[in-house]
Amino acid sequence: MPGRFMKELSSGIHLHTAKLENEPVLVFKSNELVNSGVIEEIAEKTVIIKGKSYIKGECTFKYAK
């Protein structure tokens, strides 16, 4: 979908939509890019991308394209 580049995934619905659509996302921690890729798994407090777990409250997730 056009116009989503760098749009923040600010809710659980956004994260689940990105996962279902296999959309690549960027992961930021303290405004620093720490990873990118497709969401593999979403739990109550974490998101897993490329086998690494990221705490939702500590990270920002954005569309990569």
Side-chain angles (χ1 to χ4, degrees):
M1 181 181 293
R4 293 200 301 193
F5 176 69
M6 293 297 287
K7 180 179 178 190
E8 187 173 339
L9 289 87
S10 58
S11 71
I13 297 281
H14 293 149
L15 291 168
H16 284 281
T17 300
K19 181 182 184 302
L20 288 172
E21 294 178 352
N22 291 314
E23 287 285 342
V25 299
L26 305 171
V27 183
F28 293 88
K29 189 169 185 179
S30 300
N31 293 322
E32 181 180 336
L33 179 64
V34 294
N35 200 355
S36 65
V38 175
I39 297 172
E40 298 169 356
E41 194 173 321
I42 301 170
E44 184 178 340
K45 295 182 180 182
T46 60
V47 175
I48 298 175
I49 297 173
K50 292 183 179 174
K52 293 192 146 212
S53 182
Y54 298 96
I55 299 171
K56 292 179 186 178
E58 294 179 4
C59 297
T60 302
F61 303 92
K62 297 184 178 186
Y63 284 107
K65 62 177 191 170

